Amino acid sequence: MLRERIQASNYSFLDKLRSIDYLLILLIIAIGSISVFAIYSTEGGKFSFYTKNHIIRLVVFFSLFLVLSFVRVSTWYKNAYLFYIVGLVLLITVLFFGISASGATRWINLYFLNLQPSELMKIAVIICFARYYHRIQSSDIQSYKFLIQPIILLIIPCYLVIQQPDLGTSILIAGSGIAIIWLAGLNIKYFVYSGLLLLVSLPFAISILKPYQKSRILTFFNPDRDPLGAGYQIIQSKIAIGSGGFFGKGYLKGTQSYLEFLPEKHTDFIFTLFSEEFGFLGSIILLFLYILLIYRIINVGLVSRSFFAKLYCFGFATAIFLYVFVNIAMVLGMLPIVGAPLPIMSYGGSSLLSIMLGLSIVMSCKIYNQEQISAY
Amino acid sequence: MLNRGRNIEKGRVITRRMFILAAAKILLFAGISSRLYNLQISDREKYEILSDKNRIREWKTPPQRGIIVDNFNKVLASNDRVFQLHLILDEINDFDVTIFKIKNLINLDQFEIKKLYKKKERLKPWDTLVVSDNLTWEQFSKINLYLHELEGAKPVLSTSRFYPYANDLVHIVGYVGDASPKDLEKPEIKENFVPGLKVGKYGIENSQEKMLIGNYGIKRYEVNASGKRISQIDYIKERQGNKVNLTIDIEIQKYAQELLKGKAGSICAMDIYTGEVVAMASSPTYDPNKFTHGINQKDWQEIRNNPLKPLINKSIAGLYSPGSTFKPLVALAALEYGTLDPNKTIRCKGHKHPYELYGVKYHCWKKEGHGYMKLRNAIKQSCDIYFYEMARLLGVDKLSIIAKRYGLGTNVLRDLYSDEKNGLVPDTKWKRRALEQSWYLGETVINGIGQGYIQTTPLQLCLMTAQIANGGYKIKPHIIKDESINYKDVINKIKLDQSNFPLHERNYLDDIKVEFYQRMYHKKSNINFVLDAMFGSTNEQYGTSYKSRYDDPKYQFAGKTGTSQVRRITDLDRELDLDTDQIEYKKRDHALYIAFAPYKDPRYAISVIIEHGGSGSKAAAPLASKLIKRIIDRHKLREQFNIGNTSLA
C-alpha cells in the first residue's frame, strides 16, 4: 500500500514534514549559532560588518535550505548534469571575468554576493558523479570505458580551479569525486596504483607549484623556517590553540585573535579563534557536532532506497568530513596551509551557500527516501 | 530478477565501502583530537608562555639615583628636575620629517642630528629615543606648543643628577655620565641598567654604584601584533638608590676649597679618633654638573689643558716628598729604637760648614745655621743637620717600619678611589727589589728630612698626624659613615687606654701588624715628646709656624712645617738665595704643613699642601690656622650630631 503511494508520488505535506530529519536541522542551527558567536568574537565583541553579514547569510541560506529540501530527489537527479555544466560555465566565466583578491581570481561579482563557483563545484561534482554511478551496472564499473568519463569530469574543474589559483578547493573537489568513485565500488587496486603514481610524481608536481604554494609546503614541514613570513600563520595559530588550554581563555578573551596576531581569523582560522577561547573542551564539542552532522547525513543515505541518494549522501558526508578535517588539521599544523574554510563556521557566502545547497539535497533524499529513481 | 540481484549486490558494495570510509574518518578525527590534546593539554604551558610573549611587552623605567649627603645630612648630590624630549618610535610614520621639525624648534646642529640617527639604529622599533635630556625651559615650552604637529614626541619631566656644591666636592663625590661599554660589564650596572641611565664615573658616584643605582621599574603593556600598546597590565615601581652618608662637613670642605682658591694643592682634615675625613679639598677644581649631560668640547679642553691639573685629586693621587713634615715621625722612630738621647746636642753651622758624609755635603735650609741643637729644638726649628745625623744613626729600615705603621706607603681609603696612590716608603729591600741597587747611606740621610725616594699623599700625612696626635693609636680612616663603628665607644676606648700605663705584650719595635684602635707605640713618653716638640714649633718663639699660632687654648694647635724640593738645590741657588716669587713657578718648592688641634685634648688632624707655594711656614701654615679655627668652631655641633645619631642607631 505504501508502495502504491510512493509509486503515485503523492506524499502528503504531513508525510513530508514527518520525514524531515529534525536532528540534522538542529545540528545545522547549533553550528550556525556557534559560528555567529565566533564571528562576533573576531570583531572584538562589536556587532559590525562581518557579524551582520554572516547572520543575514545564515538566515537567507538556511531558508533556502528549507525550501529546497522539498524539491523531489528525482528532480535533483534529472538536473545533476545540468548542475555540473552550470558550475563549469561559471568556472570558465571566472577565468575571463572573475574578480581578484590577494593574487587569486576566484570570484564572480553578483552584486549581492561575490560568488565563488569553485565552492559550488564541490557539490556539483558529487551530484554529477552520484547520478553517473547510479545508472552504471556494478559489472561495468571496473571497465576502463566507464572509468575514463568520471576522471575527465573531475580533471576539468580541478584544472580550472588550480588555475585561479586555489589548490585547497581543487584538492577538496578531487577528494569528493574520488570518494564517490570509491563508494561506487571501483576495484581497490586502482586506488593503490594511482596512490603510488601520485607519490612518484610528487616531485614533479611540486616543481610546477607557484612559489607561494611551495613555500607553504616547506613551511609546513618546518614552520620556524620563516617565523615572520610563511610560517607566521601556523606558528600563531598553534600558539593560540595551545594557550587556550582545557577550558580556553573565555569568550571574547582570546588574546591572540583580539590583538590581531591571528591572520584570516574569520575565514580559514575561525577554528583557531574558537579553540583559543573555548579550549580543548569546546573544540571537542564542536568536533562532536560535526561528527554527528556527518553521521546524520550517512544515516539518510542508509535509509534511502535509490543508489543516487545513497551515493550522494555518502559522498557529501565524506566531502563535509574532508572540509572539516583539512581545515582543522591545517590550523593545527598537521597539514600545509592550503586555504580551506570550515563548513558553516567560516565567514564566506559561497562556501555557506554550497554547504546549504548540499544539505538541502540530503534533506530531500530524506523526505523522499522511498522514491525509486529509474535509471533513465 | 537478475537485474534485481545485481542491484542488491551494488547496494551492498556501496554500504560496505561507506563503512570503510567511515572507519577512516573516525581514525582521522581521533588524530585531530589527539593533536588538540597535545597542544592544549600536554604543551599548554609552553604555548601560554609564547602567547604572553606575543602580547606582553615590557618597558623598563629608570630608577632615581640615591642621594649623597654630608655628615649633617646636607644634600651633596641630588636629583634635579629636568626637561627632556623623548620620541616614541612606533608612533612615528616619517622619522625624517619629525626630526626636521624638532631640529627647527630646538636648534639641533648637524652633529647632534647625526648622533640621533646613529642612536636610533641601535634601538628597537618600539623603543624610546631620547632626543635631549636637558632642554631649557624655553625649548621645552616651544615643544609643548607645537606638540600636535610632532608625531611620537613626548615632553618628559625627568630627573638628573645635580651637585649643589658643584666645584667644592667634585674630587670626593665625583660625577655621573653615560654608561660606557666597560661600565656595562660591571654586574651592579648590568643588572639595573636602563637605556639613558647615568652611571658614576668617578669618586663616590663610581665606587658606591651598588648603593646608589637603585632598581628599575617595569611597566608591562599588552600590545597588538603591530606592537601598538593596548593597555597597561602591570607596573612594578622603580626603587630609588640608597642614600650615601659621607663624613665630610660641607661647611669645612667649602672653606678649605675657598682657602685653596687660585692655588694648586690640597687640604685634608680628619678626626684623630674616629678616622672620619672631615674635609678633603683639592685645587683647582671643576664643575661636575657639566658632565651629567655630556661635557662640551670647549669646557673639556679647558679642564684638560689647565696646567694646574684640576682632574687630579691631589689629596689622594698627588704624590709629594713630605719634607720636614716627616721629621716628627723620624724623631719618634729614633726615640722608640733608642737611637739617640733627645738631649744629645748637635751643632748646625750653616752653609759654610755643612754636614758631610763620604765627601758629600748636606746643607741645612738655614743659611746661617741653627747653632747647638737638642732634639726638641731641632723639631721646633726644623734643623736639617740634626735629622741627617739622627737618620744616619737610625737607619732606613727601622724608619720605614715606623713610617708604614703610622700610615705612609699604603693608600688610605682602600678601594674607594680608583686613582688613590700608595706612595712610597723606601727601605733597603725595596730598593734592591725595585731598582736592583743596594742602598746608600746618603739616601738614608736625605730620607731623614723627608726627601729622596719617599713619597706621600696629603691624606697619608693627615692620617700620620692623626695617629701621632691621638697618642699613637691606629685608626680606621673613612669618608663614608661606617654604621659598624660606634664613635662614642671608639673614643672612650682610646682615651681609657691613654690614661692607663701600657703593658707590653708585644714588641712594638718589630714589624708587627696592629689592629684598629690599638696602640702602635713602644713607649708613651716618646709620643708625648714629639707632640710637645710640635707644640713648640707652633707656639714658641723661633718655631717655624709661630706666626700662625693661636693663644686661645680653645684653638691652640701644634704642627710642623715642611718644604719639599721639587729639584736638587745647587750651590748657585744657595748663593742667589732667591725669594719664592722670584723663582719660576714650576721650580718653586711645595709648601707643606701638618697640624693637630686643639693642643690640649686634640681632636682633629690636618694636612696642607700648596704646590710650588714656597716655604711651609709662609704658604701652608696660615691656611691651616684659619681652617683649624673653623673646624673647632663647628666641633660641638658635629659631636652632638654624631653622638646623637649613633645612640639612635
Side-chain angles (χ1 to χ4, degrees):
Chain A
M1 195 177 109
L2 181 72
R3 189 155 180 170
E4 276 165 32
R5 276 170 65 183
I6 292 159
Q7 296 295 0
S9 309
N10 53 355
Y11 288 72
S12 74
F13 186 66
L14 208 64
D15 287 334
K16 290 178 187 172
L17 281 186
R18 222 176 271 149
S19 312
I20 287 176
D21 189 337
Y22 288 103
L23 182 56
L24 188 62
I25 290 180
L26 216 63
L27 283 167
I28 294 166
I29 291 170
I31 297 174
S33 319
I34 290 172
S35 77
V36 170
F37 282 106
I39 301 275
Y40 181 68
S41 176
T42 66
E43 297 196 297
K46 269 179 258 142
F47 189 78
S48 59
F49 182 75
Y50 288 115
T51 320
K52 254 184 247 166
N53 263 8
H54 191 66
I55 291 175
I56 291 167
R57 283 172 186 173
L58 269 177
V59 170
V60 170
F61 295 147
F62 184 73
S63 316
L64 190 71
F65 154 76
L66 288 179
V67 171
L68 292 180
S69 293
F70 292 96
V71 172
R72 291 177 80 105
V73 71
S74 54
T75 312
W76 288 117
Y77 175 82
K78 280 176 204 151
N79 293 306
Y81 290 153
L82 183 66
F83 203 149
Y84 177 84
I85 289 161
V86 168
L88 212 56
V89 168
L90 287 173
L91 273 181
I92 292 164
T93 315
V94 167
L95 210 57
F96 296 106
F97 306 106
I99 51 176
S100 310
S102 51
T105 311
R106 295 175 186 167
W107 299 271
I108 299 171
N109 188 354
L110 296 184
Y111 298 102
F112 63 94
L113 172 82
N114 282 338
L115 186 71
Q116 191 181 343
S118 56
E119 288 289 341
L120 289 180
M121 204 62 206
K122 284 177 181 171
I123 306 300
V125 163
I126 299 169
I127 195 167
C128 166
F129 276 35
R131 171 166 177 176
Y132 179 78
Y133 280 106
H134 170 78
R135 61 179 186 84
I136 292 180
Q137 300 293 322
S138 52
S139 54
D140 296 336
I141 282 174
Q142 310 300 339
S143 77
Y144 290 108
K145 191 184 137 201
F146 289 105
L147 183 56
I148 204 82
Q149 290 175 30
I151 287 176
I152 291 166
L153 286 181
L154 201 53
I155 283 175
I156 296 168
C158 283
Y159 176 77
L160 286 171
V161 174
I162 280 185
Q163 287 307 304
Q164 290 179 350
D166 187 353
L167 189 64
T169 311
S170 171
I171 287 170
L172 289 174
I173 292 171
S176 325
I178 291 165
I180 296 191
I181 300 175
W182 161 267
L183 286 165
L186 185 67
N187 198 313
I188 199 158
K189 69 182 181 195
Y190 291 104
F191 294 95
V192 175
Y193 292 158
S194 52
L196 286 174
L197 194 72
L198 192 73
L199 266 181
V200 171
S201 64
L202 210 59
F204 302 101
I206 286 176
S207 70
I208 58 164
L209 286 177
K210 305 260 178 215
Y212 86 93
Q213 289 168 332
K214 259 190 253 181
S215 93
R216 272 182 184 181
I217 289 171
L218 286 174
T219 303
F220 164 67
F221 289 110
N222 180 15
D224 298 323
R225 198 176 68 103
D226 183 9
L228 291 176
Y232 181 80
Q233 296 180 324
I234 192 62
I235 290 172
Q236 294 303 339
S237 174
K238 274 160 76 179
I239 291 173
I241 293 168
S243 62
F246 187 79
F247 290 109
K249 291 180 184 166
Y251 185 54
L252 298 179
K253 286 178 187 159
T255 55
Q256 283 284 103
S257 43
Y258 165 60
L259 298 170
E260 290 155 30
F261 289 99
L262 267 188
E264 316 271 340
K265 55 190 172 185
H266 347 71
T267 56
D268 290 0
F269 287 87
I270 190 88
F271 181 79
T272 307
L273 169 123
F274 180 81
S275 192
E276 184 187 17
E277 293 189 346
F278 295 99
F280 182 70
L281 192 66
S283 308
I284 290 296
I285 289 171
L286 184 63
L287 213 55
F288 183 69
L289 288 178
Y290 277 114
I291 292 170
L292 268 183
L293 183 73
I294 291 165
Y295 161 73
R296 284 318 289 182
I297 296 169
I298 289 172
N299 196 46
V300 171
L302 285 173
V303 300
S304 294
R305 289 193 64 170
S306 67
F307 294 134
F308 172 75
K310 275 181 193 295
L311 283 169
Y312 176 78
C313 289
F314 296 160
F316 186 64
T318 308
I320 294 274
F321 165 79
L322 276 178
Y323 307 157
V324 173
F325 175 76
V326 169
N327 177 275
I328 295 180
M330 180 178 91
V331 301
L332 289 176
M334 300 164 82
L335 283 179
I337 308 281
V338 287
L342 188 61
I344 305 174
M345 286 287 285
S346 286
Y347 178 84
S350 306
S351 156
L352 193 61
L353 174 63
S354 83
I355 297 290
M356 288 302 188
L357 204 58
L359 285 169
S360 67
I361 300 171
V362 170
M363 199 54 98
S364 125
C365 291
K366 178 71 177 52
I367 293 170
Y368 302 99
N369 66 40
Q370 294 307 317
E371 197 168 67
Q372 278 284 15
I373 297 167
S374 70
Y376 304 97
Chain B
M1 214 52 212
L2 186 74
N3 199 17
R4 187 162 182 173
R6 274 184 193 154
N7 275 349
I8 288 167
E9 173 59 22
K10 190 175 170 186
R12 274 191 192 142
V13 167
I14 292 172
T15 309
R16 194 185 326 126
R17 294 239 162 154
M18 185 278 292
F19 276 116
I20 294 171
L21 261 186
K25 287 173 198 169
I26 287 166
L27 223 66
L28 289 173
F29 268 139
I32 284 183
S33 307
S34 76
R35 174 73 167 183
L36 272 172
Y37 181 88
N38 263 341
L39 288 176
Q40 298 193 299
I41 299 193
S42 309
D43 289 345
R44 176 203 182 151
E45 239 165 87
K46 174 183 147 193
Y47 287 109
E48 247 172 15
I49 291 167
L50 285 173
S51 159
D52 282 347
K53 251 188 176 171
N54 260 348
R55 73 186 179 94
I56 296 170
R57 207 155 286 160
E58 290 182 354
W59 275 267
K60 288 176 184 172
T61 57
Q64 279 208 38
R65 212 168 163 74
I67 58 167
I68 300 175
V69 298
D70 84 338
N71 186 74
F72 299 96
N73 277 331
K74 269 203 179 149
V75 177
L76 307 180
S78 62
N79 299 303
D80 214 22
R81 206 173 65 158
V82 286
F83 305 114
Q84 303 188 332
L85 175 59
H86 294 187
L87 284 180
I88 314 295
L89 291 177
D90 60 6
E91 288 177 11
I92 298 175
N93 288 321
D94 193 333
F95 187 72
D96 297 329
V97 169
T98 309
I99 285 290
F100 182 77
K101 283 181 185 163
I102 289 170
K103 180 194 134 190
N104 290 340
L105 279 177
I106 63 173
N107 293 325
L108 295 170
D109 61 34
Q110 244 9 62
F111 179 70
E112 287 167 306
I113 288 172
K114 241 187 206 169
K115 246 165 94 180
L116 285 176
Y117 274 94
K118 252 189 212 164
K119 239 177 168 178
K120 188 203 164 212
E121 265 169 41
R122 275 180 278 145
L123 296 173
K124 302 207 175 68
W126 56 81
D127 274 344
T128 302
L129 174 71
V130 181
V131 176
S132 170
D133 53 11
N134 191 20
L135 292 170
T136 62
W137 169 243
E138 213 173 303
Q139 289 171 322
F140 191 69
S141 42
K142 244 185 189 172
I143 291 281
N144 278 297
L145 194 61
Y146 292 100
L147 198 58
H148 58 281
E149 289 180 15
L150 299 169
E151 269 174 353
K154 204 171 128 195
V156 175
L157 265 176
S158 180
T159 59
S160 85
R161 207 49 156 177
F162 178 65
Y163 303 101
Y165 296 97
N167 297 24
D168 292 334
L169 272 162
V170 63
H171 292 113
I172 297 171
V173 168
Y175 54 88
V176 295
D178 289 322
S180 66
K182 215 174 158 193
D183 290 329
L184 289 173
E185 281 169 23
K186 293 187 199 162
E188 64 267 26
I189 293 178
K190 206 171 159 188
E191 282 163 25
N192 296 298
F193 191 70
V194 179
L197 194 70
K198 307 286 179 181
V199 300
K201 289 292 183 181
Y202 178 75
I204 297 295
E205 292 276 28
N206 181 269
S207 60
Q208 299 302 300
E209 192 71 73
K210 211 172 180 169
M211 289 278 282
L212 291 167
I213 194 165
N215 302 112
Y216 58 72
I218 295 173
K219 278 183 178 167
R220 288 203 180 91
Y221 284 95
E222 190 167 64
V223 296
N224 69 10
S226 43
K228 194 169 185 271
R229 297 178 200 191
I230 303 297
S231 61
Q232 183 174 316
I233 306 173
D234 202 5
Y235 179 25
I236 300 168
K237 242 186 120 46
E238 57 279 352
R239 186 190 66 82
Q240 184 177 8
N242 291 325
K243 185 172 86 175
V244 169
N245 195 343
L246 300 184
T247 61
I248 297 289
D249 179 345
I250 185 60
E251 291 304 321
I252 295 169
Q253 174 75 18
K254 244 166 55 182
Y255 188 55
Q257 212 61 65
E258 193 186 309
L259 291 173
L260 286 172
K261 203 159 235 171
K263 305 178 176 82
S266 152
I267 296 180
C268 301
M270 191 185 281
D271 186 311
I272 62 168
Y273 293 111
T274 63
E276 292 172 293
V277 176
V278 177
M280 193 171 89
S282 176
S283 175
T285 88
Y286 53 94
D287 185 355
N289 291 315
K290 285 183 178 166
F291 286 82
T292 308
H293 304 292
I295 190 163
N296 66 42
Q297 276 298 311
K298 195 180 138 257
D299 287 344
W300 173 241
Q301 290 303 335
E302 208 168 276
I303 291 171
R304 232 182 55 154
N305 297 335
N306 186 333
L308 301 184
K309 301 203 180 329
L311 285 172
I312 292 175
N313 186 354
K314 300 196 170 64
S315 308
I316 54 173
L319 287 175
Y320 308 91
S321 304
S324 301
T325 56
F326 191 44
K327 282 174 182 164
L329 203 66
V330 179
L332 179 62
L335 290 170
E336 292 272 74
Y337 285 101
T339 307
L340 98 180
D341 180 354
N343 290 317
K344 180 183 168 129
T345 311
I346 293 172
R347 190 178 171 195
C348 171
K349 291 182 268 188
H351 283 184
K352 278 179 188 155
H353 305 281
Y355 183 80
E356 261 189 72
L357 195 69
Y358 306 129
V360 183
K361 290 174 180 166
Y362 301 91
H363 295 85
C364 185
W365 62 272
K366 200 170 177 181
K367 196 178 173 184
E368 51 276 18
H370 288 97
Y372 293 100
M373 288 273 125
K374 288 182 181 174
L375 178 56
R376 188 176 184 277
N377 236 341
I379 297 173
K380 177 179 151 187
Q381 298 190 36
S382 200
C383 175
D384 291 342
I385 305 294
Y386 200 98
F387 277 85
Y388 293 144
E389 175 63 6
M390 194 160 64
R392 186 184 69 81
L393 294 172
L394 175 63
V396 70
D397 289 338
K398 284 178 190 163
L399 177 56
S400 97
I401 289 174
I402 300 299
K404 283 176 183 162
R405 186 179 294 166
Y406 280 81
L408 306 184
T410 36
N411 65 17
V412 176
L413 295 171
R414 291 163 295 274
D415 43 10
L416 221 48
Y417 292 87
S418 54
D419 59 340
E420 186 173 4
K421 296 274 190 350
N422 282 324
L424 177 65
V425 176
D427 57 23
T428 52
K429 263 190 230 149
W430 163 81
K431 198 182 172 195
R432 216 171 297 132
R433 201 182 55 238
L435 304 177
E436 292 177 347
Q437 284 173 3
S438 49
W439 185 269
Y440 299 113
L441 197 54
E443 289 162 354
T444 308
V445 168
I446 59 166
N447 204 31
I449 62 159
Q451 301 285 350
Y453 294 119
I454 186 160
Q455 290 210 295
T456 56
T457 66
L459 192 61
Q460 283 172 346
L461 289 178
C462 186
L463 176 63
M464 175 193 84
T465 312
Q467 294 186 136
I468 298 172
N470 68 17
Y473 291 83
K474 188 177 174 75
I475 56 170
K476 191 176 181 183
H478 56 278
I479 201 164
I480 295 172
K481 283 269 178 200
D482 191 337
E483 297 293 332
S484 66
I485 301 174
N486 184 332
Y487 293 126
K488 217 170 164 179
D489 284 358
V490 166
I491 297 167
N492 288 341
K493 192 181 164 188
I494 295 177
K495 286 199 168 165
L496 189 70
D497 199 76
Q498 280 173 348
S499 56
N500 285 341
F501 286 103
L503 291 168
H504 283 88
E505 307 99 356
R506 312 174 70 183
N507 186 354
Y508 286 90
L509 298 179
D510 287 347
D511 192 3
I512 54 168
K513 198 173 158 13
V514 181
E515 301 299 315
F516 287 124
Y517 315 118
Q518 300 291 323
R519 63 168 170 269
M520 303 189 286
Y521 55 82
H522 174 63
K523 249 188 199 162
K524 195 173 173 179
S525 58
N526 295 335
I527 297 275
N528 290 339
F529 182 91
V530 172
L531 296 179
D532 175 55
M534 285 172 77
F535 176 80
S537 171
T538 308
N539 298 294
E540 293 169 8
Q541 215 163 3
Y542 307 121
T544 49
S545 48
Y546 182 62
K547 282 181 188 153
S548 304
R549 76 190 182 281
Y550 290 113
D551 290 327
D552 182 352
K554 188 183 170 195
Y555 301 118
Q556 197 171 44
F557 63 92
K560 180 74 198 78
T561 56
T563 305
S564 154
Q565 295 163 15
V566 295
R567 66 198 176 101
R568 181 168 274 280
I569 297 172
T570 61
D571 287 337
L572 180 70
D573 292 329
R574 274 191 201 96
E575 211 156 294
L576 288 172
D577 192 22
L578 294 169
D579 276 347
T580 304
D581 46 8
Q582 288 173 289
I583 307 171
E584 187 189 338
Y585 178 78
K586 278 278 171 195
K587 292 180 178 171
R588 291 176 200 166
D589 296 336
H590 296 323
L592 290 88
Y593 193 65
I594 57 168
F596 60 92
Y599 178 70
K600 293 235 164 88
D601 192 13
R603 192 58 199 271
Y604 295 98
I606 182 166
S607 74
V608 178
I609 287 191
I610 307 298
E611 283 186 1
H612 309 294
S615 82
S617 57
K618 280 182 198 148
L623 302 188
S625 168
K626 283 181 192 164
L627 193 71
I628 282 167
K629 185 163 188 295
R630 183 66 64 96
I631 292 174
I632 289 170
D633 280 340
R634 288 184 64 80
H635 172 66
K636 214 171 180 181
L637 200 66
R638 184 181 181 91
E639 193 79 342
Q640 276 169 358
F641 192 87
N642 284 358
I643 296 206
N645 253 7
T646 42
S647 68
L648 272 175

